Amino acid sequence: MPHIKQINHVAVVVDDMDKALSFWRDALGMELHELRNVPAEKSQVAFLPLHGSEVELVQPTSADSGIAKYLAKRGPGMHHICLEVDDIEGMISQLTSKGVRLINDTPRAAADGKKYAFIHPESTSGVLVELYQL
Amino acid sequence: MPHIKQINHVAVVVDDMDKALSFWRDALGMELHELRNVPAEKSQVAFLPLHGSEVELVQPTSADSGIAKYLAKRGPGMHHICLEVDDIEGMISQLTSKGVRLINDTPRAAADGKKYAFIHPESTSGVLVELYQL
């Protein structure tokens, strides 16, 4: 049986990275591990690790990306929650068999080889859920 | 220095607990630790623990609660993220000194004695952030 292991990260879409970091890093005191440009996602991402999990701040770098459209429509705020799974193909099969609507029916591979897939908010009570296999 | 330790929980507001559990418990396979009525918050809350953290599903039980108004306005979805802190009074002082807007300037105590306070989304890039000291 595929198994959800933990919250891998929570992603927040922001419209001003400096202002966001003034809260998450400077006021809360969280460590900024890395500030990375991710051209494949047309975003700049700040990674703030927390005891095996992470807060990620995501700012679009192009107006034509999905995340830029989300930001334009809904404003800054929570974007998705990512759950680590030990067997992403098995979990996708299990979800499909139970009628869950997936955005990615087959896992995609990130640049570092990690496999991920998104579940449609329609099936999750309105939350965009990412699955991640490390 | 006060210190953020980990993501304590992520709270999702739902309009249909049975439907929400059919995804989070039955399809994803997460353990439902407890389904509890919380009269003080006019809510029913499902607790699904995950390796030291937790997903909480919250359904309002009265139309006049804050969470019911949030649901009516924004629909189901992410409600807040809760960060565990080792010294909540110290953290509130630190945040205040940096101009962060708090919803609770002094911590409140839950029925079980845990201390909590909310930070206004205006200061966090649109995310309702709860601080929790166990």
Side-chain angles (χ1 to χ4, degrees), chain A residues 8 13 20 23 40 46 55 59-60 68 75 78 83-84 87 89 100 112 115:
Chain A
N8 180 277
V13 57
F23 170 69
V55 172
Q59 182 174 7
M78 285 292 312
L83 303 175
E84 184 187 339
D87 170 12
E89 283 90 354
V100 171
D112 58 5
K115 292 191 274 190

PDB file of all heavy atoms in Angstrom, chain A residues 8 13 20 23 40 46 55 59-60 68 75 78 83-84 87 89 100 112 115:
ATOM      1  N   ASN A   8       5.847  17.569   3.005  1.00  0.00           N
ATOM      2  CA  ASN A   8       7.153  17.926   2.462  1.00  0.00           C
ATOM      3  C   ASN A   8       7.349  19.441   2.467  1.00  0.00           C
ATOM      4  O   ASN A   8       8.385  19.947   2.880  1.00  0.00           O
ATOM      5  CB  ASN A   8       7.323  17.371   1.047  1.00  0.00           C
ATOM      6  CG  ASN A   8       8.671  17.726   0.452  1.00  0.00           C
ATOM      7  OD1 ASN A   8       8.853  18.814  -0.072  1.00  0.00           O
ATOM      8  ND2 ASN A   8       9.638  16.831   0.577  1.00  0.00           N
ATOM      9  N   VAL A  13       2.378  31.718  -2.582  1.00  0.00           N
ATOM     10  CA  VAL A  13       2.673  32.580  -3.727  1.00  0.00           C
ATOM     11  C   VAL A  13       2.732  34.025  -3.230  1.00  0.00           C
ATOM     12  O   VAL A  13       1.856  34.466  -2.474  1.00  0.00           O
ATOM     13  CB  VAL A  13       1.655  32.370  -4.882  1.00  0.00           C
ATOM     14  CG1 VAL A  13       0.228  32.598  -4.454  1.00  0.00           C
ATOM     15  CG2 VAL A  13       1.985  33.265  -6.067  1.00  0.00           C
ATOM     16  N   ALA A  20       8.110  39.557   1.514  1.00  0.00           N
ATOM     17  CA  ALA A  20       7.808  38.245   2.097  1.00  0.00           C
ATOM     18  C   ALA A  20       8.950  37.779   3.004  1.00  0.00           C
ATOM     19  O   ALA A  20       8.722  37.295   4.114  1.00  0.00           O
ATOM     20  CB  ALA A  20       7.554  37.226   0.986  1.00  0.00           C
ATOM     21  N   PHE A  23       9.177  39.172   6.487  1.00  0.00           N
ATOM     22  CA  PHE A  23       8.384  38.486   7.514  1.00  0.00           C
ATOM     23  C   PHE A  23       8.963  37.102   7.836  1.00  0.00           C
ATOM     24  O   PHE A  23       9.363  36.835   8.971  1.00  0.00           O
ATOM     25  CB  PHE A  23       6.922  38.340   7.085  1.00  0.00           C
ATOM     26  CG  PHE A  23       6.149  37.434   8.020  1.00  0.00           C
ATOM     27  CD1 PHE A  23       5.861  37.833   9.314  1.00  0.00           C
ATOM     28  CD2 PHE A  23       5.764  36.154   7.623  1.00  0.00           C
ATOM     29  CE1 PHE A  23       5.192  36.983  10.198  1.00  0.00           C
ATOM     30  CE2 PHE A  23       5.096  35.301   8.494  1.00  0.00           C
ATOM     31  CZ  PHE A  23       4.813  35.717   9.787  1.00  0.00           C
ATOM     32  N   ALA A  40      12.116  26.684 -15.424  1.00  0.00           N
ATOM     33  CA  ALA A  40      11.076  25.767 -15.910  1.00  0.00           C
ATOM     34  C   ALA A  40       9.702  26.150 -15.371  1.00  0.00           C
ATOM     35  O   ALA A  40       8.680  25.865 -15.992  1.00  0.00           O
ATOM     36  CB  ALA A  40      11.421  24.334 -15.500  1.00  0.00           C
ATOM     37  N   ALA A  46      12.013  30.820  -2.723  1.00  0.00           N
ATOM     38  CA  ALA A  46      12.789  30.864  -1.478  1.00  0.00           C
ATOM     39  C   ALA A  46      12.453  29.618  -0.665  1.00  0.00           C
ATOM     40  O   ALA A  46      11.276  29.327  -0.443  1.00  0.00           O
ATOM     41  CB  ALA A  46      12.440  32.118  -0.685  1.00  0.00           C
ATOM     42  N   VAL A  55       8.880  25.649   4.260  1.00  0.00           N
ATOM     43  CA  VAL A  55       8.002  26.664   3.678  1.00  0.00           C
ATOM     44  C   VAL A  55       8.690  27.164   2.413  1.00  0.00           C
ATOM     45  O   VAL A  55       9.892  27.449   2.427  1.00  0.00           O
ATOM     46  CB  VAL A  55       7.754  27.831   4.663  1.00  0.00           C
ATOM     47  CG1 VAL A  55       6.989  28.976   3.978  1.00  0.00           C
ATOM     48  CG2 VAL A  55       6.979  27.346   5.887  1.00  0.00           C
ATOM     49  N   GLN A  59       7.599  33.422  -6.215  1.00  0.00           N
ATOM     50  CA  GLN A  59       7.207  34.636  -6.927  1.00  0.00           C
ATOM     51  C   GLN A  59       7.348  34.407  -8.428  1.00  0.00           C
ATOM     52  O   GLN A  59       8.412  34.008  -8.903  1.00  0.00           O
ATOM     53  CB  GLN A  59       8.083  35.823  -6.491  1.00  0.00           C
ATOM     54  CG  GLN A  59       7.640  37.104  -7.195  1.00  0.00           C
ATOM     55  CD  GLN A  59       8.372  38.343  -6.709  1.00  0.00           C
ATOM     56  OE1 GLN A  59       9.307  38.250  -5.922  1.00  0.00           O
ATOM     57  NE2 GLN A  59       7.957  39.493  -7.188  1.00  0.00           N
ATOM     58  N   PRO A  60       6.275  34.652  -9.190  1.00  0.00           N
ATOM     59  CA  PRO A  60       6.373  34.480 -10.636  1.00  0.00           C
ATOM     60  C   PRO A  60       7.397  35.444 -11.232  1.00  0.00           C
ATOM     61  O   PRO A  60       7.528  36.577 -10.765  1.00  0.00           O
ATOM     62  CB  PRO A  60       4.975  34.825 -11.151  1.00  0.00           C
ATOM     63  CG  PRO A  60       4.105  35.003  -9.959  1.00  0.00           C
ATOM     64  CD  PRO A  60       4.952  35.127  -8.754  1.00  0.00           C
ATOM     65  N   ALA A  68       1.600  32.959 -12.071  1.00  0.00           N
ATOM     66  CA  ALA A  68       1.317  34.397 -12.230  1.00  0.00           C
ATOM     67  C   ALA A  68      -0.183  34.630 -12.392  1.00  0.00           C
ATOM     68  O   ALA A  68      -0.737  35.591 -11.848  1.00  0.00           O
ATOM     69  CB  ALA A  68       2.068  34.955 -13.439  1.00  0.00           C
ATOM     70  N   GLY A  75      -4.586  36.800  -5.590  1.00  0.00           N
ATOM     71  CA  GLY A  75      -3.714  37.543  -4.682  1.00  0.00           C
ATOM     72  C   GLY A  75      -2.749  36.617  -3.980  1.00  0.00           C
ATOM     73  O   GLY A  75      -2.829  35.392  -4.109  1.00  0.00           O
ATOM     74  N   MET A  78      -1.628  31.125   0.328  1.00  0.00           N
ATOM     75  CA  MET A  78      -1.311  29.704   0.190  1.00  0.00           C
ATOM     76  C   MET A  78      -1.522  29.256  -1.244  1.00  0.00           C
ATOM     77  O   MET A  78      -2.557  29.558  -1.837  1.00  0.00           O
ATOM     78  CB  MET A  78      -2.240  28.884   1.076  1.00  0.00           C
ATOM     79  CG  MET A  78      -1.921  28.943   2.547  1.00  0.00           C
ATOM     80  SD  MET A  78      -0.361  28.129   2.959  1.00  0.00           S
ATOM     81  CE  MET A  78      -0.563  26.585   2.079  1.00  0.00           C
ATOM     82  N   LEU A  83       2.727  16.667  -0.122  1.00  0.00           N
ATOM     83  CA  LEU A  83       2.839  15.503   0.755  1.00  0.00           C
ATOM     84  C   LEU A  83       3.841  14.519   0.158  1.00  0.00           C
ATOM     85  O   LEU A  83       3.769  14.190  -1.031  1.00  0.00           O
ATOM     86  CB  LEU A  83       1.474  14.813   0.881  1.00  0.00           C
ATOM     87  CG  LEU A  83       0.332  15.697   1.391  1.00  0.00           C
ATOM     88  CD1 LEU A  83      -0.993  14.931   1.356  1.00  0.00           C
ATOM     89  CD2 LEU A  83       0.615  16.185   2.812  1.00  0.00           C
ATOM     90  N   GLU A  84       4.763  14.059   0.996  1.00  0.00           N
ATOM     91  CA  GLU A  84       5.730  13.055   0.521  1.00  0.00           C
ATOM     92  C   GLU A  84       5.089  11.680   0.561  1.00  0.00           C
ATOM     93  O   GLU A  84       4.451  11.307   1.553  1.00  0.00           O
ATOM     94  CB  GLU A  84       6.983  13.086   1.403  1.00  0.00           C
ATOM     95  CG  GLU A  84       8.052  12.140   0.884  1.00  0.00           C
ATOM     96  CD  GLU A  84       9.245  12.013   1.832  1.00  0.00           C
ATOM     97  OE1 GLU A  84       9.458  12.913   2.666  1.00  0.00           O
ATOM     98  OE2 GLU A  84       9.934  10.980   1.739  1.00  0.00           O
ATOM     99  N   ASP A  87       5.511   5.816  -2.734  1.00  0.00           N
ATOM    100  CA  ASP A  87       5.303   5.121  -4.020  1.00  0.00           C
ATOM    101  C   ASP A  87       4.289   5.933  -4.817  1.00  0.00           C
ATOM    102  O   ASP A  87       3.076   5.733  -4.680  1.00  0.00           O
ATOM    103  CB  ASP A  87       4.802   3.688  -3.743  1.00  0.00           C
ATOM    104  CG  ASP A  87       4.321   2.977  -5.007  1.00  0.00           C
ATOM    105  OD1 ASP A  87       4.562   3.473  -6.129  1.00  0.00           O
ATOM    106  OD2 ASP A  87       3.682   1.914  -4.860  1.00  0.00           O
ATOM    107  N   GLU A  89       3.562   6.169  -8.093  1.00  0.00           N
ATOM    108  CA  GLU A  89       2.740   5.462  -9.092  1.00  0.00           C
ATOM    109  C   GLU A  89       1.631   4.676  -8.390  1.00  0.00           C
ATOM    110  O   GLU A  89       0.472   4.683  -8.839  1.00  0.00           O
ATOM    111  CB  GLU A  89       3.586   4.508  -9.940  1.00  0.00           C
ATOM    112  CG  GLU A  89       4.426   5.190 -11.026  1.00  0.00           C
ATOM    113  CD  GLU A  89       5.813   5.584 -10.550  1.00  0.00           C
ATOM    114  OE1 GLU A  89       6.102   5.438  -9.329  1.00  0.00           O
ATOM    115  OE2 GLU A  89       6.622   6.049 -11.382  1.00  0.00           O
ATOM    116  N   VAL A 100     -10.677   9.965  -7.638  1.00  0.00           N
ATOM    117  CA  VAL A 100     -10.040  11.267  -7.396  1.00  0.00           C
ATOM    118  C   VAL A 100      -9.547  11.838  -8.725  1.00  0.00           C
ATOM    119  O   VAL A 100      -8.981  11.114  -9.554  1.00  0.00           O
ATOM    120  CB  VAL A 100      -8.870  11.108  -6.402  1.00  0.00           C
ATOM    121  CG1 VAL A 100      -8.043  12.390  -6.305  1.00  0.00           C
ATOM    122  CG2 VAL A 100      -9.402  10.712  -5.025  1.00  0.00           C
ATOM    123  N   ASP A 112      15.903  17.536 -10.653  1.00  0.00           N
ATOM    124  CA  ASP A 112      16.748  16.705  -9.776  1.00  0.00           C
ATOM    125  C   ASP A 112      16.263  15.250  -9.719  1.00  0.00           C
ATOM    126  O   ASP A 112      16.758  14.466  -8.916  1.00  0.00           O
ATOM    127  CB  ASP A 112      16.797  17.305  -8.369  1.00  0.00           C
ATOM    128  CG  ASP A 112      15.411  17.446  -7.764  1.00  0.00           C
ATOM    129  OD1 ASP A 112      14.423  16.991  -8.389  1.00  0.00           O
ATOM    130  OD2 ASP A 112      15.309  18.013  -6.659  1.00  0.00           O
ATOM    131  N   LYS A 115      10.040  12.768  -8.381  1.00  0.00           N
ATOM    132  CA  LYS A 115       8.799  12.599  -9.118  1.00  0.00           C
ATOM    133  C   LYS A 115       7.654  13.295  -8.383  1.00  0.00           C
ATOM    134  O   LYS A 115       7.562  13.218  -7.155  1.00  0.00           O
ATOM    135  CB  LYS A 115       8.481  11.110  -9.271  1.00  0.00           C
ATOM    136  CG  LYS A 115       9.483  10.411 -10.190  1.00  0.00           C
ATOM    137  CD  LYS A 115       9.035   9.012 -10.553  1.00  0.00           C
ATOM    138  CE  LYS A 115       9.453   8.010  -9.511  1.00  0.00           C
ATOM    139  NZ  LYS A 115       9.248   6.616  -9.951  1.00  0.00           N
TER     140      LYS A 115
END
